[in-house]
Amino acid sequence: MKTLYVRIVVTFLLIAMISSAAALLLSNGYYSAKLRDYNEQKILKISQEIRGLYEETPGLQLHEYLTRIANMGFQVYAVDDELQGTFYGSPFKHKEIERDTIVRVLSGDTYHGVMEERHLLLVTGFFENSIRNSIGLPVRSGGKTMALFIRPDMEQQIGEVRILMALLLGFTFLLSLVLIIISTRFIVKPVQKLTEATNKIVGGDYNIQMDVTRRDEIGNLARHFTLMAKSLEKLDQMRQEFVANVSHEIQSPLTTIQGFAQSMLDNGASPEEERRYLRIIEEESRRLSALSKELLTLAALDKETSVLKPASFRLDEQIRHIFITTEWQWTEKELRLQLDLPELVICADAQLLYQVWFNLIANSIKFTHPGDAISVQIRQEEHDILVSIGDTGPGIPSGDLPHIFDRFYKGDKSRNRSRSGSGLGLSIAHKIVSLHRGSIEVLSHPGEGTLFLIRLPRL
């Protein structure tokens, strides 16, 4: 019982056995309610015809007559007034009958054995080869009364039918068993393939082949399993790429810090060079600190468990605060601000949304040429709140647009590392907006600037 195959076969067999037992009980109930009285009346009528024919035919010898009757497919037991009995036809399997029953028939009563006999299953009494399962009638012969116990000889009358039915039921059961064993293999085989595929995935092999052409539950399971395997493969590739990117991002500043620190320890640098080296070490340390914070933020957002802490706040004031914080940056580049920030109260996580606006505005300031413009607009739509953040900078190449929200993706490889950042800012912004059940999209053309459209549901 350890394998699914054996369990299904045994289950089918138990179902067959229980169904057979239930069918036998139902048949017994039907026989008791409908057929038992009919069968008794039929045998009684035949017995009365046998007696009537004998009594209406003068000079007919009872022994010869009963022999002919037995040859026609009946079993007869004749008892005289001295309780001496004679059997005619095929022998009864059970020859016992109570003395009081014989005396009662000799006294003129009729014995209804089919109705009077009690069996655990009444339907089996129809086939019981017993004197007690017969009709008893008195008959006058030679001036004496005799008791005749008559029942149809089932072996002679329907023996071939019984054999045929037994063979039919036997072959049906055997063929059903064979078909159950064969059909179960077809049921279990896809499950075994799924088990093998699962083991391959556990081992890191995502190249699995499943039968996805079936149009049943197994086919749906195979299709979903194949999609799951592809998703796991993509997730594993993303994980490996993520680890590689994190290692690269960490290794580069660590190498810089190690190199300059070693130069200072070797006493081969002048005080001015040491001061410059320390400044670079500080910058790289800040980059490492910022990277670790962004990684922790992404880890918390990926869990999506109790991350959001919604509260009501003024969205317009939050965005203005970001421009106040970054004032020295956009004033240094003499950027023009075009702000359309009507008063608007929103229910969301203020701290997380602050990161979204800060990342997008900081990117616009960073990559916009001196003298260009940055625009921020808030607009209330029917079901959403639309925040648009645009600039008139160099824009984003069309080949980079589908990937700008990927983690560690950097479109412009020519930018120095201090300006390009870690490549996690837009990923974090996209994740935060998604957690708020909103959307973020980007429109950009090289030389024409970039526009980010953020839609948040109105709560």
Side-chain angles (χ1 to χ4, degrees):
M1 296 291 288
K2 291 184 178 181
T3 64
L4 180 62
Y5 176 75
V6 174
R7 289 182 180 181
I8 293 178
V9 171
V10 172
T11 301
F12 281 158
L13 291 178
L14 289 176
I15 291 174
M17 295 172 62
I18 294 173
S19 300
S20 300
L24 181 60
L25 292 175
L26 291 174
S27 301
N28 182 74
Y30 181 77
Y31 174 79
S32 176
K34 300 292 184 180
L35 298 182
R36 191 181 182 196
D37 291 342
Y38 171 77
N39 182 49
E40 194 270 345
Q41 292 297 324
K42 182 176 68 173
I43 298 176
L44 176 62
K45 184 176 181 180
I46 293 174
S47 300
Q48 290 173 344
E49 290 293 331
I50 292 174
R51 181 182 64 177
L53 179 61
Y54 172 74
E55 291 179 344
E56 293 174 4
T57 307
L60 187 61
Q61 295 296 321
L62 182 60
H63 176 75
E64 295 179 359
Y65 176 70
L66 293 180
T67 301
R68 294 292 181 88
I69 293 298
N71 291 337
M72 294 173 61
F74 292 91
Q75 294 171 284
V76 182
Y77 180 54
V79 185
D80 58 19
D81 53 2
E82 296 180 358
L83 302 182
Q84 298 297 318
T86 304
F87 292 97
Y88 297 90
S90 299
F92 288 96
K93 184 176 181 180
H94 302 287
K95 300 178 181 180
E96 300 82 5
I97 189 169
E98 295 179 0
R99 179 187 178 91
D100 293 343
T101 301
I102 298 176
V103 172
R104 194 178 71 189
V105 174
L106 290 174
S107 301
D109 290 343
T110 299
Y111 171 66
H112 301 272
V114 177
M115 296 295 295
E116 294 179 11
E117 286 299 307
R118 293 291 179 263
H119 305 274
L120 181 62
L121 289 174
L122 298 177
V123 70
T124 61
F126 180 77
F127 300 99
E128 184 182 357
N129 186 8
S130 170
I131 295 178
R132 291 178 298 182
N133 189 28
S134 63
I135 295 295
L137 297 172
V139 61
R140 298 290 299 177
S141 175
K144 299 180 180 180
T145 301
M146 297 191 67
L148 295 182
F149 295 90
I150 304 171
R151 75 176 299 274
D153 187 351
M154 305 304 295
E155 184 66 29
Q156 184 175 349
Q157 292 188 10
I158 61 172
E160 296 81 0
V161 176
R162 293 173 63 185
I163 294 174
L164 182 62
M165 289 299 297
L167 290 175
L168 178 62
L169 293 176
F171 284 132
T172 300
F173 179 78
L174 291 177
L175 289 175
S176 298
L177 179 60
V178 173
L179 291 175
I180 287 173
I181 294 174
I182 295 175
S183 61
T184 302
R185 286 188 177 275
F186 286 99
I187 297 175
V188 175
K189 190 175 181 180
V191 179
Q192 292 175 337
K193 287 186 176 181
L194 284 173
T195 303
E196 294 174 358
T198 303
N199 292 331
K200 290 177 66 176
I201 291 177
V202 171
D205 183 6
Y206 301 98
N207 186 21
I208 60 174
Q209 299 293 330
M210 303 293 298
D211 183 10
V212 296
T213 59
R214 296 179 56 155
R215 297 300 177 185
D216 55 6
E217 289 78 2
I218 297 294
N220 289 333
L221 180 60
R223 284 188 287 273
H224 292 148
F225 193 89
T226 302
L227 292 176
M228 182 194 70
K230 292 180 179 178
S231 298
L232 288 175
E233 182 179 15
K234 183 178 180 181
L235 183 63
D236 188 57
Q237 292 174 350
M238 291 174 61
R239 178 185 60 82
Q240 294 178 7
E241 184 179 353
F242 181 79
V243 172
N245 287 328
V246 170
S247 301
H248 177 74
E249 291 293 331
I250 293 177
Q251 184 63 34
S252 180
L254 285 178
T255 301
T256 302
I257 292 173
Q258 183 180 11
F260 286 114
Q262 187 66 42
S263 298
M264 294 172 63
L265 290 174
D266 291 341
N267 297 320
S270 63
E272 292 78 10
E273 290 177 331
E274 287 184 357
R275 190 175 184 83
R276 184 167 60 88
Y277 293 166
L278 287 174
R279 189 178 299 109
I280 295 175
I281 290 173
E282 181 189 14
E283 292 176 356
E284 294 299 312
S285 299
R286 291 181 183 275
R287 286 189 56 228
L288 281 175
S289 178
L291 176 61
S292 64
K293 290 180 181 178
E294 289 178 336
L295 290 174
L296 289 174
T297 301
L298 274 178
L301 294 176
D302 285 338
K303 290 181 180 179
E304 298 185 8
T305 54
S306 304
V307 175
L308 295 181
K309 298 178 181 179
S312 297
F313 64 94
R314 286 272 300 273
L315 179 60
D316 57 306
E317 287 186 355
Q318 185 181 62
I319 295 177
R320 287 192 183 93
H321 184 268
I322 293 174
F323 279 105
I324 295 174
T325 304
T326 59
E327 182 178 3
W328 68 273
Q329 298 176 5
W330 53 266
T331 54
E332 184 181 13
K333 299 181 71 172
E334 299 181 352
L335 300 179
R336 292 176 287 109
L337 302 183
Q338 299 173 354
L339 305 181
D340 184 7
L341 305 175
E343 181 178 332
L344 177 62
V345 177
I346 185 174
C347 183
D349 191 310
Q351 185 176 358
L352 291 180
L353 282 184
Y354 185 90
Q355 289 184 260
V356 175
W357 317 132
F358 188 87
N359 283 333
L360 296 178
I361 293 173
N363 282 345
S364 295
I365 296 173
K366 184 186 299 182
F367 300 117
T368 301
H369 298 308
D372 285 345
I374 295 177
S375 63
V376 179
Q377 183 183 43
I378 297 177
R379 187 168 68 249
Q380 298 189 56
E381 298 184 342
E382 183 178 359
H383 301 290
D384 302 321
I385 296 172
L386 175 63
V387 179
S388 60
I389 301 176
D391 59 61
T392 57
I396 302 174
S398 58
D400 293 334
L401 284 177
H403 307 287
I404 63 170
F405 296 113
D406 294 346
R407 298 178 183 184
F408 295 105
Y409 185 81
K410 301 176 184 178
D412 189 354
K413 304 298 188 298
S414 64
R415 293 179 183 140
N416 61 65
R417 298 185 61 83
S418 63
R419 294 188 64 221
S420 59
S422 64
L424 293 176
L426 291 180
S427 299
I428 293 175
H430 184 272
K431 187 68 178 180
I432 292 173
V433 173
S434 297
L435 289 176
H436 282 84
R437 294 182 287 113
S439 65
I440 179 171
E441 60 179 314
V442 58
L443 304 175
S444 182
H445 298 282
E448 298 181 9
T450 303
L451 176 65
F452 285 91
L453 300 175
I454 300 93
R455 283 184 169 82
L456 298 173
R458 298 181 63 178
L459 300 179

